[in-house]
Amino acid sequence: MFTRAISAKALLWGGAAALLALPVLAEDKPASHGDTPDASYQASMTTMGQLNLEIPGLQAGDPVLTPEQWNEAKTIYFERCAGCHGVLRKGATGKPLTTDITRENGYDYLQSFITYGSPAGMPNWGTSGQLTEQQVDLMAKYLLLEPPTPPEWGMKDMKDSWKVLVKPEDRPKAKENDWDIENLMSVTLRDSGEIALIDGTSYEIRAVIKTGYAVHISRMSASGRYLFVIGRDGVVNMIDLWMKEPATVSTIRIGLEARSVETSKFEGYEDKYAIAGAYWPPQYVIMDGQTLEPLKIESTRGMTYDEQEYHPEPRVASIVASHYHPEFIVNVKETGKILIIDYSDLKNLKTVEIEAERFLHDGGFDSTKRYFMVAANARNRVAIIDTKEDKLVGVIDSGGEKPHPGRGANFVHPVYGPVWATSHLGDEAISLIGTDPEGHPEQAWKVVDTFAGLGGGALFIKTNPASNHLYVDVTLNPDAETSGSVAVYDIATMGGDPAKDPEFKTLPIAEWAGITDGQPRVVQPEFNKDGTEVWFSVWNAKDKESAIVVIDDKTLELKKVIKDPRLITPTGKFNVANTRDDVY
C-alpha cells in the first residue's frame, strides 16, 4: 500500500513554482521562424518583471539595493516566484513571504532556504544552478523589502491593446485548407513566445505562430474553428484555423499576469463569448467570441470563504465552460470560491458563489461532464461541483500532497467503476475518486484508491476513452532519469486490494528522444483524436535541443520523434478535438 514516507529528493521540486524555472524572453529566434499572414501583429509584450516599479518606502536597517539590483530581483521574483507565492507575496501554493515573516527569519535563513529548498516543495534554486550565488544573495535581500504593487489594468488598457487583424466579415466562409483540424496539436513553445501547430497524422509542423509570452493553455471554440491561447503576460490570441494559413485574427491583453481562457459552449451560444482570467489584476473579462472585444470586467477581490477576511489578490486559476447551462465556472485561488457566471445576460449578470476551499488551481469534468473536480492544492483537497444543479457536492482530502491533476483522467475501474484520477506535486500519490453516484453510490465522491507512482513532481495525468492505459508524468522531479520518464498503468489489471499497489511500466521518453545534453523533462501526455497515440513533450532549456515523442498506445512502443530547431521549450500540447469536447 502507498505510504507517505517519500524521500526528500522526490519532494524538492514539488511546487508549481518550478514550472517557472526557465522563464526568459527568447528574443533571438532561429532565422527559420517565418511570418504568417498575421505579420502585422507584434507579439512582444511587457511582462510583469519588466515593469518599471519603484522601491517601496525604505526603513532603517533595510538592505540597500541599487536600481539595477532592484530591477533584477523584481524580474526574478515575478517570473519565478510569484506564481506560487503571489504578486503581493501573501502566499498560495507557496508560503507567504510578507516582511513581517521574512524580517523575523532574517537574511541567513532566507539565503539558505532559497539555496537548498525544502521537502515541503520549495525548489532548490541555488544548488540546482537555476540561480547564481549572487542572485540568491540578491533575492534574500529583496524579500526583506516591502513588495511593489503593480498597476491596475482596466477597460481603457484592454481597449488600447485590442486589435482585430482580420474582421469577421473578411474571414473565410468555408475552410480553405486541407488540414485535419480535429487531429491538430497546438504545442506551446514556452520561451519563444509562440505555438506550433503540428499535424497529428503526418507529424509535420504546419505553422509556428507568434503569441504572448509563455503560453499557458490552448482552448477551442465550440465549433472547432477558433483556437484561443493565453500567455503569462495576459495576451490572448484568437487563431482562425479555417484560413489557408491559420493565423491570429484578433488579440487583446487582459492583464499583466494570467493563466486561463475559455469559450462559451452551451447550445445557442457556440463561439459567442470568450472569457479570460488574470492573476494580476485579480479579475476576469468576458469578451466577444468573434473579435475579443472586452465587454464585461469583474474583479475577484473580496473576502476569503473561511476566515472572512479581505484579500487584495484573489487570482483567477482555471476556467471551464458548462455543458448544462450558459455558464462559465471560474475558480478563484486565494478566496477559495468557485464562481458560476451566467453569460446569457451580461447587463444583468447573475453569479452563483460557491464556498469550496483554498487555494483553487486546476481541474476538469468527470466523464459525464456534469461534475467539475478542482484541486485546492495547498490544502491537499479536491472540490466537487454539480454543474447541472450549480451546487457544491463536497470537498474531500485528495490522498496526497499538493494535487495537480491538470484536467484529470476519467476511466472505468474494474472494481470501483467510473473514477477521476489526480496525481500530486508533493509526493508519489496517485488518487482515484469515484464519480458515479447512481451506479456506484458507495464509492461516489470518495478517494477509493491511492497508490504510488514514479516519484514526486507530477504535473499531468491522462487517459482516453479508447485507451486502456493511464499515463503519469513526473516533470518536476529533480532526478534526471525520473523526470525524463513516465509511468504507465494497465487499467484492466487494477485490482481492489488496498494493500497492493497496481504495477506500472516505466517508459524512458527522454532516452527515446535521443537528447543527451541538459536535463530534458517529459511533460503532459496528450492523445490524438482517435485515442491511438500519446504525445509527450521533451522539455529542455531554450538553448538546448527539445523534442516531441509519440508512442503507440496499444503496444507502448516508440512511433515517432519530432525534432526541429523551431521546437523551443515545448511544454503543453492540446489536441483540437479532445480540448473542444473536454475528453480526458
Side-chain angles (χ1 to χ4, degrees):
M1 180 64 179
F2 170 76
T3 65
R4 209 59 63 77
I6 307 300
S7 68
K9 180 185 80 170
L11 294 167
L12 273 175
W13 281 73
L19 264 182
L20 311 181
L22 303 172
V24 290
L25 283 175
E27 297 173 350
D28 299 322
K29 296 186 294 182
S32 60
H33 283 221
D35 291 330
T36 56
D38 63 343
S40 61
Y41 166 54
Q42 300 298 316
S44 178
M45 301 292 286
T46 303
T47 63
M48 287 188 67
Q50 294 172 306
L51 294 175
N52 184 21
L53 304 178
E54 295 183 358
I55 304 176
L58 296 173
Q59 301 179 15
D62 282 350
V64 177
L65 301 182
T66 67
E68 292 77 14
Q69 290 173 324
W70 166 258
N71 284 327
E72 180 181 0
K74 170 179 58 65
T75 299
I76 291 172
Y77 182 82
F78 282 142
E79 293 187 348
R80 303 190 181 198
C81 313
C84 274
H85 298 285
V87 170
L88 302 180
R89 305 203 320 233
K90 291 184 177 294
T93 303
K95 293 183 180 299
L97 295 172
T98 47
T99 52
D100 59 319
I101 296 171
T102 59
R103 288 170 178 169
E104 181 178 350
N105 287 325
Y107 168 86
D108 290 337
Y109 173 89
L110 296 171
Q111 192 271 347
S112 177
F113 199 65
I114 296 169
T115 300
Y116 299 106
S118 81
M122 170 71 173
N124 52 326
W125 295 110
T127 56
S128 69
Q130 295 295 336
L131 296 181
T132 66
E133 186 176 341
Q134 290 75 21
Q135 287 174 321
V136 170
D137 168 76
L138 183 61
M139 293 309 297
K141 293 176 179 175
Y142 175 80
L143 294 178
L144 294 171
L145 300 174
E146 292 291 339
T149 301
E152 299 297 310
W153 190 266
M155 183 61 80
K156 181 181 184 303
D157 301 299
M158 291 190 198
K159 285 286 184 74
D160 288 345
S161 73
W162 173 48
K163 296 181 179 66
V164 179
L165 304 171
V166 183
K167 295 179 180 178
E169 59 267 28
D170 296 331
R171 297 171 195 166
K173 301 300 184 290
K175 188 165 163 283
E176 293 182 342
N177 57 58
D178 62 355
W179 298 15
D180 181 359
I181 290 178
E182 289 198 339
N183 202 27
L184 200 65
M185 293 281 186
S186 174
V187 180
T188 298
L189 306 180
R190 179 184 170 84
D191 292 337
S192 65
E194 298 168 316
I195 61 162
L197 299 179
I198 303 181
D199 189 300
T201 301
S202 68
Y203 313 114
E204 173 189 357
I205 298 177
R206 291 279 194 164
V208 174
I209 299 175
K210 294 178 291 185
T211 62
Y213 165 61
V215 164
H216 192 67
I217 57 172
S218 297
R219 288 291 175 260
M220 292 304 306
S221 68
S223 68
R225 172 175 183 170
Y226 293 111
L227 172 68
F228 294 78
V229 298
I230 189 166
R232 285 188 54 226
D233 55 3
V235 175
V236 179
N237 286 70
M238 178 180 177
I239 298 164
D240 188 352
L241 298 178
W242 278 14
M243 296 171 66
K244 185 176 182 180
E245 295 183 27
T248 295
V249 293
S250 187
T251 183
I252 190 173
R253 189 177 195 184
I254 60 92
L256 301 177
E257 175 97 359
R259 293 295 189 279
S260 52
V261 67
E262 182 59 288
T263 67
S264 54
K265 293 181 178 178
F266 189 68
E267 184 178 358
Y269 293 88
E270 297 92 339
D271 295 23
K272 184 175 178 63
Y273 294 119
I275 183 174
Y279 268 24
W280 188 272
Q283 61 192 23
Y284 65 85
V285 57
I286 298 175
M287 301 163 283
D288 184 280
Q290 296 293 312
T291 65
L292 294 184
E293 177 185 4
L295 304 174
K296 187 89 170 182
I297 304 172
E298 291 290 329
S299 172
T300 54
R301 290 184 171 103
M303 314 305 284
T304 60
Y305 93 92
D306 49 359
E307 298 171 351
Q308 296 291 296
E309 292 184 352
Y310 178 77
H311 199 294
E313 190 192 350
R315 296 171 290 175
V316 177
S318 52
I319 302 175
V320 295
S322 172
H323 295 269
Y324 283 84
H325 305 287
E327 295 172 340
F328 293 121
I329 296 114
V330 176
N331 298 282
V332 185
K333 188 180 287 282
E334 277 75 13
T335 57
K337 296 176 180 179
I338 298 173
L339 308 178
I340 299 181
I341 314 298
D342 185 337
Y343 54 73
S344 64
D345 184 356
L346 298 188
K347 288 292 184 182
N348 301 284
L349 195 69
K350 295 179 181 178
T351 301
V352 175
E353 180 183 284
I354 297 176
E355 295 183 353
E357 183 57 282
R358 302 168 70 188
F359 296 80
L360 299 171
H361 193 62
D362 56 352
F365 291 106
D366 77 312
S367 59
T368 69
K369 301 181 177 61
R370 174 174 175 172
Y371 299 97
F372 176 66
M373 327 273 283
V374 60
N377 53 23
R379 296 276 176 90
N380 303 326
R381 309 198 81 192
V382 172
I384 304 153
I385 301 297
D386 182 345
T387 66
K388 183 178 180 179
E389 300 294 335
D390 288 349
K391 292 182 178 179
L392 178 71
V393 174
V395 180
I396 62 174
D397 291 337
S398 71
E401 299 291 333
K402 296 183 181 176
H404 194 288
R407 292 287 179 160
N410 290 300
F411 61 92
V412 179
H413 190 280
V415 176
Y416 303 117
V419 297
W420 179 87
T422 182
S423 52
H424 291 79
L425 277 165
D427 62 21
E428 298 177 343
I430 298 164
S431 297
L432 310 182
I433 298 171
T435 60
D436 183 16
E438 293 186 4
H440 296 76
E442 293 183 0
Q443 282 79 40
W445 320 131
K446 300 175 183 177
V447 174
V448 296
D449 198 8
T450 303
F451 48 87
L454 273 175
L459 289 179
F460 297 100
I461 187 167
K462 184 74 72 170
T463 189
N464 183 278
S467 173
N468 195 42
H469 291 123
L470 178 68
Y471 297 83
V472 188
D473 67 23
V474 277
T475 310
L476 301 185
N477 195 285
D479 178 71
E481 182 178 354
T482 303
S483 66
S485 302
V486 297
V488 186
Y489 296 84
D490 185 339
I491 293 171
T493 63
M494 289 183 175
D497 184 354
K500 184 178 181 181
D501 283 355
E503 296 182 356
F504 62 84
K505 184 174 182 179
T506 302
L507 302 185
I509 301 296
E511 179 183 323
W512 287 351
I515 298 174
T516 57
D517 190 18
Q519 183 177 346
R521 299 177 181 274
V522 176
V523 61
Q524 198 197 35
E526 173 71 329
F527 279 82
N528 64 349
K529 72 170 183 178
D530 297 326
T532 58
E533 295 177 352
V534 191
W535 293 41
F536 300 90
S537 294
V538 184
W539 169 33
N540 212 348
K542 73 162 189 170
D543 59 346
K544 300 185 185 301
E545 186 179 44
S546 291
I548 302 291
V549 170
V550 183
I551 71 163
D552 185 294
D553 176 61
K554 297 297 183 186
T555 65
L556 302 183
E557 294 178 352
L558 176 65
K559 194 166 184 178
K560 180 70 176 180
V561 176
I562 305 172
K563 289 185 177 180
D564 191 289
R566 294 172 291 178
L567 289 178
I568 299 172
T569 58
T571 52
K573 300 161 302 306
F574 302 88
N575 172 267
V576 166
N578 293 336
T579 302
R580 178 195 63 204
D581 299 332
D582 289 314
V583 175
Y584 31 83

